[in-house]
PDB file of all heavy atoms in Angstrom:
ATOM      1  N   LEU A 120    -134.186  -0.880 116.707  1.00  0.00           N
ATOM      2  CA  LEU A 120    -134.049  -2.383 116.358  1.00  0.00           C
ATOM      3  C   LEU A 120    -133.112  -3.006 117.419  1.00  0.00           C
ATOM      4  O   LEU A 120    -133.439  -4.278 117.746  1.00  0.00           O
ATOM      5  CB  LEU A 120    -133.491  -2.534 115.050  1.00  0.00           C
ATOM      6  CG  LEU A 120    -134.349  -2.208 113.885  1.00  0.00           C
ATOM      7  CD1 LEU A 120    -133.660  -1.974 112.545  1.00  0.00           C
ATOM      8  CD2 LEU A 120    -135.481  -3.104 113.756  1.00  0.00           C
ATOM      9  N   LEU A 129    -142.619  -4.019 112.380  1.00  0.00           N
ATOM     10  CA  LEU A 129    -142.080  -2.573 112.298  1.00  0.00           C
ATOM     11  C   LEU A 129    -142.724  -1.996 111.022  1.00  0.00           C
ATOM     12  O   LEU A 129    -142.371  -2.437 109.994  1.00  0.00           O
ATOM     13  CB  LEU A 129    -140.447  -2.482 112.409  1.00  0.00           C
ATOM     14  CG  LEU A 129    -140.035  -1.029 112.214  1.00  0.00           C
ATOM     15  CD1 LEU A 129    -140.532  -0.069 113.443  1.00  0.00           C
ATOM     16  CD2 LEU A 129    -138.534  -1.125 112.249  1.00  0.00           C
ATOM     17  N   ILE A 131    -143.019   1.815 109.109  1.00  0.00           N
ATOM     18  CA  ILE A 131    -142.355   3.228 109.059  1.00  0.00           C
ATOM     19  C   ILE A 131    -143.045   3.907 107.820  1.00  0.00           C
ATOM     20  O   ILE A 131    -143.124   3.356 106.696  1.00  0.00           O
ATOM     21  CB  ILE A 131    -140.866   3.190 108.753  1.00  0.00           C
ATOM     22  CG1 ILE A 131    -140.099   2.278 109.999  1.00  0.00           C
ATOM     23  CG2 ILE A 131    -140.235   4.560 108.709  1.00  0.00           C
ATOM     24  CD1 ILE A 131    -138.639   1.954 109.568  1.00  0.00           C
ATOM     25  N   ILE A 139    -131.604   3.442 107.523  1.00  0.00           N
ATOM     26  CA  ILE A 139    -131.630   2.120 107.931  1.00  0.00           C
ATOM     27  C   ILE A 139    -130.142   1.587 107.637  1.00  0.00           C
ATOM     28  O   ILE A 139    -129.588   1.667 106.598  1.00  0.00           O
ATOM     29  CB  ILE A 139    -132.512   1.277 107.049  1.00  0.00           C
ATOM     30  CG1 ILE A 139    -133.969   1.799 107.254  1.00  0.00           C
ATOM     31  CG2 ILE A 139    -132.547  -0.184 107.495  1.00  0.00           C
ATOM     32  CD1 ILE A 139    -134.690   1.601 108.553  1.00  0.00           C
ATOM     33  N   PHE A 142    -128.731  -4.660 109.440  1.00  0.00           N
ATOM     34  CA  PHE A 142    -129.025  -5.045 110.639  1.00  0.00           C
ATOM     35  C   PHE A 142    -129.407  -6.585 110.552  1.00  0.00           C
ATOM     36  O   PHE A 142    -129.699  -7.127 109.490  1.00  0.00           O
ATOM     37  CB  PHE A 142    -130.175  -4.320 111.321  1.00  0.00           C
ATOM     38  CG  PHE A 142    -131.524  -4.454 110.586  1.00  0.00           C
ATOM     39  CD1 PHE A 142    -132.392  -5.477 110.944  1.00  0.00           C
ATOM     40  CD2 PHE A 142    -131.833  -3.619 109.480  1.00  0.00           C
ATOM     41  CE1 PHE A 142    -133.609  -5.626 110.217  1.00  0.00           C
ATOM     42  CE2 PHE A 142    -133.005  -3.702 108.858  1.00  0.00           C
ATOM     43  CZ  PHE A 142    -133.923  -4.689 109.215  1.00  0.00           C
ATOM     44  N   LEU A 147    -138.300 -10.219 113.626  1.00  0.00           N
ATOM     45  CA  LEU A 147    -139.171  -9.488 112.791  1.00  0.00           C
ATOM     46  C   LEU A 147    -139.847 -10.379 111.733  1.00  0.00           C
ATOM     47  O   LEU A 147    -139.224 -11.142 111.049  1.00  0.00           O
ATOM     48  CB  LEU A 147    -138.425  -8.370 112.033  1.00  0.00           C
ATOM     49  CG  LEU A 147    -138.242  -7.092 112.723  1.00  0.00           C
ATOM     50  CD1 LEU A 147    -137.352  -6.081 111.960  1.00  0.00           C
ATOM     51  CD2 LEU A 147    -139.609  -6.384 113.064  1.00  0.00           C
ATOM     52  N   ARG A 148    -141.237 -10.243 111.770  1.00  0.00           N
ATOM     53  CA  ARG A 148    -141.906 -11.021 110.766  1.00  0.00           C
ATOM     54  C   ARG A 148    -142.621 -10.103 109.670  1.00  0.00           C
ATOM     55  O   ARG A 148    -142.874 -10.590 108.616  1.00  0.00           O
ATOM     56  CB  ARG A 148    -143.111 -11.777 111.513  1.00  0.00           C
ATOM     57  CG  ARG A 148    -142.451 -13.004 112.272  1.00  0.00           C
ATOM     58  CD  ARG A 148    -143.549 -13.486 113.190  1.00  0.00           C
ATOM     59  NE  ARG A 148    -143.067 -14.803 113.837  1.00  0.00           N
ATOM     60  CZ  ARG A 148    -142.142 -14.984 114.681  1.00  0.00           C
ATOM     61  NH1 ARG A 148    -141.506 -13.995 115.222  1.00  0.00           N
ATOM     62  NH2 ARG A 148    -141.692 -16.197 115.063  1.00  0.00           N
ATOM     63  N   ARG A 149    -142.923  -8.926 110.054  1.00  0.00           N
ATOM     64  CA  ARG A 149    -143.453  -7.927 109.178  1.00  0.00           C
ATOM     65  C   ARG A 149    -142.693  -6.663 109.113  1.00  0.00           C
ATOM     66  O   ARG A 149    -142.393  -6.054 110.225  1.00  0.00           O
ATOM     67  CB  ARG A 149    -144.935  -7.577 109.561  1.00  0.00           C
ATOM     68  CG  ARG A 149    -145.835  -8.809 109.511  1.00  0.00           C
ATOM     69  CD  ARG A 149    -147.210  -8.396 109.981  1.00  0.00           C
ATOM     70  NE  ARG A 149    -147.899  -7.444 109.105  1.00  0.00           N
ATOM     71  CZ  ARG A 149    -148.686  -7.796 108.009  1.00  0.00           C
ATOM     72  NH1 ARG A 149    -148.822  -9.151 107.714  1.00  0.00           N
ATOM     73  NH2 ARG A 149    -149.175  -6.948 107.289  1.00  0.00           N
ATOM     74  N   PHE A 150    -142.095  -6.246 107.947  1.00  0.00           N
ATOM     75  CA  PHE A 150    -141.312  -5.103 107.827  1.00  0.00           C
ATOM     76  C   PHE A 150    -141.854  -4.198 106.688  1.00  0.00           C
ATOM     77  O   PHE A 150    -141.933  -4.641 105.526  1.00  0.00           O
ATOM     78  CB  PHE A 150    -139.863  -5.516 107.587  1.00  0.00           C
ATOM     79  CG  PHE A 150    -138.841  -4.289 107.558  1.00  0.00           C
ATOM     80  CD1 PHE A 150    -138.338  -3.767 108.697  1.00  0.00           C
ATOM     81  CD2 PHE A 150    -138.467  -3.712 106.324  1.00  0.00           C
ATOM     82  CE1 PHE A 150    -137.482  -2.607 108.680  1.00  0.00           C
ATOM     83  CE2 PHE A 150    -137.646  -2.582 106.306  1.00  0.00           C
ATOM     84  CZ  PHE A 150    -137.094  -2.070 107.406  1.00  0.00           C
ATOM     85  N   THR A 151    -142.187  -2.962 106.975  1.00  0.00           N
ATOM     86  CA  THR A 151    -142.816  -2.190 105.971  1.00  0.00           C
ATOM     87  C   THR A 151    -142.234  -0.769 105.990  1.00  0.00           C
ATOM     88  O   THR A 151    -142.041  -0.107 107.108  1.00  0.00           O
ATOM     89  CB  THR A 151    -144.314  -1.914 106.217  1.00  0.00           C
ATOM     90  OG1 THR A 151    -144.983  -3.346 106.154  1.00  0.00           O
ATOM     91  CG2 THR A 151    -144.965  -1.054 105.203  1.00  0.00           C
ATOM     92  N   ILE A 152    -141.869  -0.190 104.766  1.00  0.00           N
ATOM     93  CA  ILE A 152    -141.487   1.205 104.710  1.00  0.00           C
ATOM     94  C   ILE A 152    -142.400   1.809 103.640  1.00  0.00           C
ATOM     95  O   ILE A 152    -142.480   1.401 102.490  1.00  0.00           O
ATOM     96  CB  ILE A 152    -140.097   1.386 104.168  1.00  0.00           C
ATOM     97  CG1 ILE A 152    -139.119   0.843 105.278  1.00  0.00           C
ATOM     98  CG2 ILE A 152    -139.728   2.787 103.950  1.00  0.00           C
ATOM     99  CD1 ILE A 152    -137.615   0.963 104.763  1.00  0.00           C
ATOM    100  N   LEU A 165    -130.714  -2.954 103.307  1.00  0.00           N
ATOM    101  CA  LEU A 165    -131.583  -4.143 103.364  1.00  0.00           C
ATOM    102  C   LEU A 165    -130.968  -5.278 102.768  1.00  0.00           C
ATOM    103  O   LEU A 165    -131.111  -6.486 103.082  1.00  0.00           O
ATOM    104  CB  LEU A 165    -133.014  -3.809 102.764  1.00  0.00           C
ATOM    105  CG  LEU A 165    -133.777  -2.842 103.538  1.00  0.00           C
ATOM    106  CD1 LEU A 165    -135.145  -2.609 102.930  1.00  0.00           C
ATOM    107  CD2 LEU A 165    -134.132  -3.332 104.952  1.00  0.00           C
ATOM    108  N   MET A 170    -133.297 -11.031 108.421  1.00  0.00           N
ATOM    109  CA  MET A 170    -134.592 -11.261 109.166  1.00  0.00           C
ATOM    110  C   MET A 170    -135.063 -12.625 108.939  1.00  0.00           C
ATOM    111  O   MET A 170    -135.929 -12.904 108.023  1.00  0.00           O
ATOM    112  CB  MET A 170    -135.697 -10.241 108.689  1.00  0.00           C
ATOM    113  CG  MET A 170    -135.322  -8.736 109.052  1.00  0.00           C
ATOM    114  SD  MET A 170    -136.594  -7.511 108.487  1.00  0.00           S
ATOM    115  CE  MET A 170    -135.911  -7.192 106.881  1.00  0.00           C
ATOM    116  N   LEU A 173    -138.948 -13.545 108.609  1.00  0.00           N
ATOM    117  CA  LEU A 173    -139.708 -12.596 107.723  1.00  0.00           C
ATOM    118  C   LEU A 173    -140.773 -13.294 106.859  1.00  0.00           C
ATOM    119  O   LEU A 173    -140.608 -14.318 106.283  1.00  0.00           O
ATOM    120  CB  LEU A 173    -138.793 -11.839 106.803  1.00  0.00           C
ATOM    121  CG  LEU A 173    -139.378 -10.582 106.109  1.00  0.00           C
ATOM    122  CD1 LEU A 173    -139.875  -9.501 107.067  1.00  0.00           C
ATOM    123  CD2 LEU A 173    -138.394 -10.107 105.102  1.00  0.00           C
ATOM    124  N   HIS A 175    -143.574 -10.935 105.746  1.00  0.00           N
ATOM    125  CA  HIS A 175    -144.280  -9.887 105.022  1.00  0.00           C
ATOM    126  C   HIS A 175    -143.204  -8.764 104.796  1.00  0.00           C
ATOM    127  O   HIS A 175    -142.743  -8.066 105.840  1.00  0.00           O
ATOM    128  CB  HIS A 175    -145.380  -9.317 105.858  1.00  0.00           C
ATOM    129  CG  HIS A 175    -146.149  -8.257 105.159  1.00  0.00           C
ATOM    130  ND1 HIS A 175    -147.417  -8.219 104.734  1.00  0.00           N
ATOM    131  CD2 HIS A 175    -145.813  -6.872 104.992  1.00  0.00           C
ATOM    132  CE1 HIS A 175    -147.855  -7.147 104.293  1.00  0.00           C
ATOM    133  NE2 HIS A 175    -146.874  -6.266 104.435  1.00  0.00           N
ATOM    134  N   LEU A 176    -142.821  -8.517 103.515  1.00  0.00           N
ATOM    135  CA  LEU A 176    -141.913  -7.458 103.201  1.00  0.00           C
ATOM    136  C   LEU A 176    -142.644  -6.556 102.312  1.00  0.00           C
ATOM    137  O   LEU A 176    -143.074  -6.866 101.213  1.00  0.00           O
ATOM    138  CB  LEU A 176    -140.682  -7.979 102.527  1.00  0.00           C
ATOM    139  CG  LEU A 176    -139.628  -6.920 101.981  1.00  0.00           C
ATOM    140  CD1 LEU A 176    -139.052  -6.208 103.252  1.00  0.00           C
ATOM    141  CD2 LEU A 176    -138.495  -7.599 101.260  1.00  0.00           C
ATOM    142  N   GLU A 177    -142.697  -5.203 102.649  1.00  0.00           N
ATOM    143  CA  GLU A 177    -143.521  -4.244 101.933  1.00  0.00           C
ATOM    144  C   GLU A 177    -142.754  -2.921 101.873  1.00  0.00           C
ATOM    145  O   GLU A 177    -142.370  -2.407 102.854  1.00  0.00           O
ATOM    146  CB  GLU A 177    -144.868  -3.945 102.595  1.00  0.00           C
ATOM    147  CG  GLU A 177    -145.751  -2.997 101.845  1.00  0.00           C
ATOM    148  CD  GLU A 177    -147.105  -2.834 102.519  1.00  0.00           C
ATOM    149  OE1 GLU A 177    -147.388  -3.658 103.407  1.00  0.00           O
ATOM    150  OE2 GLU A 177    -147.870  -1.907 102.087  1.00  0.00           O
ATOM    151  N   LEU A 178    -142.410  -2.600 100.666  1.00  0.00           N
ATOM    152  CA  LEU A 178    -141.597  -1.303 100.346  1.00  0.00           C
ATOM    153  C   LEU A 178    -142.283  -0.560  99.364  1.00  0.00           C
ATOM    154  O   LEU A 178    -142.627  -0.939  98.305  1.00  0.00           O
ATOM    155  CB  LEU A 178    -140.193  -1.649  99.826  1.00  0.00           C
ATOM    156  CG  LEU A 178    -139.325  -2.616 100.713  1.00  0.00           C
ATOM    157  CD1 LEU A 178    -138.040  -2.982 100.125  1.00  0.00           C
ATOM    158  CD2 LEU A 178    -139.089  -1.966 102.047  1.00  0.00           C
TER     159      LEU A 178
END
Side-chain angles (χ1 to χ4, degrees):
L120 290 165
L129 177 60
I131 301 165
I139 301 290
F142 65 89
L147 273 175
R148 287 165 168 75
R149 297 176 65 90
F150 184 83
T151 301
I152 298 175
L165 292 176
M170 291 179 272
L173 191 63
H175 178 112
L176 177 64
E177 181 176 349
L178 305 172

